[in-house]
Each structure stands twice: as structure tokens, then as C-alpha cells.
Amino acid sequence: MKPALVFDWNGTLLDDSYALLQTTNDMLTRFGHATIDINTFREHCDVPLSLLYRSLGMSHDEVAVVDRDGSALFHDTYEPLAGNADLREGARRVLELARREAASSIIVSNHIVAPLRSQLRRLGINEYINDVLAFESRTTQFKSMSKGERLRLYMEENDLKPASTFIIGDMPVETDIARNLGLISISITGGFVSESRLRAANPDYTINNHHELLPILQRHGFFQNA
């Protein structure tokens, strides 16, 4: 049996924490709020991002402005910054190994399919990814199917076995998805959420970079010759 590796995208495979921090600070500055540092960001970050903005003191009306027109203000600020972000340490090697071992690499994300696919092509890893499960457009973002439900249906349609499916993410939501679907959960630090928040969600494993993923997979009987 081959494993399925289910990756979150933002903060997990893509090293865009500082791009999102800069975008958040731009939103705060527009409405006269104080900017924040990366540690404060990681203590407050949540999805949808309206939860982050509200926790940082933005009003309902201010958040509504950011959310207007499919969150155009956010996306027009964030996307150029994310376009300069690289992959996280060890991510390319893990994806290459997965392809060599004929394992599935799947992205499940709260981002949008088209810009995500564009980033995969820019980074030269599009051919390593079997499928991208994400929102269809800006207007449906956080309004249609959740990440967990999207993954559950995909697993049913593709007969993926929970016992050999690993979900890797940088937020507690991936651990919650793993618990609900019976998957093996791996939290990666250095993304959008502090290590203390990740550990409080009680994942099966916590890693600091993708190089540390390989021994976990080998412990479960996969990638033994890597």
C-alpha cells in the first residue's frame, strides 16, 4: 500500500508567513491600527482571516471593507508578495521522493485553485502534485465546502485509507481534520501559528521542517529505501 501525503499549502509547503504578515500589517495601517510582529501574528492567526483582523482590533465595518469584492483588497496585496516566496525547507525533496515512490501528494487548502496552481508552476513542482483541493474562486472562498469535507469526499472517491494517509499542516485545523477522519497528523512549526498553539491541538507528530517528515514516514513502513 502506498501512502497519501496531504499537504496544506500556505505556511506549510509555501514559505509565505512573512508575506501574510506584511499583508496583515498593510490592512491594519489602512485603518489606522498599530502593526504587529511575527510572534503576535502567530498567536492570533486564524481562518477565515476576518477572525484574525477582528482579534487585532479591526471593526466589523473595517473587515467588511477588506472582504468586499471577493476580498480584492487582500488578494491584490498578498499575491505579489507570495509570488516571491520560496518553498519551505525540505519540501521539494519530500515531493520528489513521494513521486519516486509512487505515493500521492495532495494539497488541501483554503486558498484558491488558480493562483495556487500558478505558484506550483512558478516553483517547478506542479508535476509532483496529484490534486489540488481548494476554493474555486475569490467569491466562494470560505463560503463553500470546508477543507475537511472536501478531503473526506476526495478520500471516498479515490479509496484512500485513513491508516496510510498523512496530513501535514501549520495550523490546528489540520490536526482537527486528522482527528475527524482518522488520519495521521503532522504539525509543522514556523508557519502561521505558534508552536505552543500547534502542540495544544495534540497532533501525532510535530516537525520543524520537511526533512523531519521522512523518518516519520519510515516509522510507518514507507519510503524505506529513501
Side-chain angles (χ1 to χ4, degrees):
M1 183 184 297
K2 299 293 184 180
L5 307 183
V6 179
F7 295 95
D8 174 55
W9 174 241
N10 302 100
T12 298
L13 287 177
L14 186 67
D15 192 7
D16 62 338
S17 297
Y18 282 89
L20 186 55
L21 171 63
Q22 188 172 337
T23 303
T24 301
N25 279 332
D26 187 85
M27 301 299 114
L28 291 168
T29 301
R30 283 173 183 266
F31 297 104
H33 297 281
T35 58
I36 59 171
D37 61 17
I38 190 65
N39 292 327
T40 303
F41 169 79
R42 286 175 171 150
E43 286 303 322
H44 287 267
C45 191
D46 205 345
V47 289
L49 290 176
S50 56
L51 297 176
L52 167 64
Y53 301 145
R54 289 289 291 140
S55 74
L56 295 173
M58 289 175 60
S59 69
H60 284 293
D61 289 343
E62 290 167 345
V63 173
V65 172
V66 177
D67 286 345
R68 190 178 299 155
D69 301 323
S71 301
L73 190 60
F74 167 83
H75 287 288
D76 292 347
T77 304
Y78 164 81
E79 294 297 348
L81 297 171
N84 294 318
D86 203 347
L87 292 173
R88 292 204 53 184
E89 183 183 351
R92 189 180 301 275
R93 177 170 178 259
V94 165
L95 293 172
E96 289 171 348
L97 283 174
R99 187 184 189 195
R100 191 184 76 192
E101 297 286 328
S104 297
S105 293
I106 302 149
I107 290 174
V108 60
S109 175
N110 279 321
H111 203 43
I112 299 162
V113 172
L116 202 163
R117 280 287 187 188
S118 177
Q119 293 277 33
L120 294 178
R121 291 189 293 270
R122 175 181 71 84
L123 292 161
I125 58 169
N126 192 52
E127 67 273 19
Y128 298 155
I129 304 300
N130 294 79
D131 282 294
V132 172
L133 313 180
F135 287 104
E136 304 81 5
S137 68
R138 292 184 180 186
T139 56
T140 63
Q141 194 175 25
F142 296 111
K143 296 181 176 67
S144 60
M145 196 180 302
S146 70
K147 287 174 67 170
E149 181 64 9
R150 207 180 295 272
L151 180 58
R152 184 187 68 78
L153 292 173
Y154 181 88
M155 291 182 67
E156 287 182 359
E157 292 166 0
N158 293 274
D159 196 28
L160 298 185
K161 305 303 181 188
S164 58
T165 300
F166 300 77
I167 185 167
I168 305 98
D170 68 317
M171 298 186 77
V173 64
E174 284 85 33
T175 301
D176 293 340
I177 291 170
R179 192 170 291 114
N180 290 336
L181 299 182
L183 317 181
I184 301 159
S185 58
I186 303 171
S187 288
I188 185 166
T189 66
F192 289 178
V193 166
S194 66
E195 183 172 349
S196 61
R197 290 178 64 196
L198 288 177
R199 290 189 181 279
N202 198 29
D204 295 312
Y205 301 96
T206 302
I207 60 175
N208 299 303
N209 58 64
H210 289 278
H211 293 304
E212 297 175 12
L213 182 56
L214 181 57
I216 296 171
L217 296 171
Q218 291 175 328
R219 193 178 308 170
H220 286 264
F222 304 111
F223 293 18
Q224 297 294 341
N225 299 318

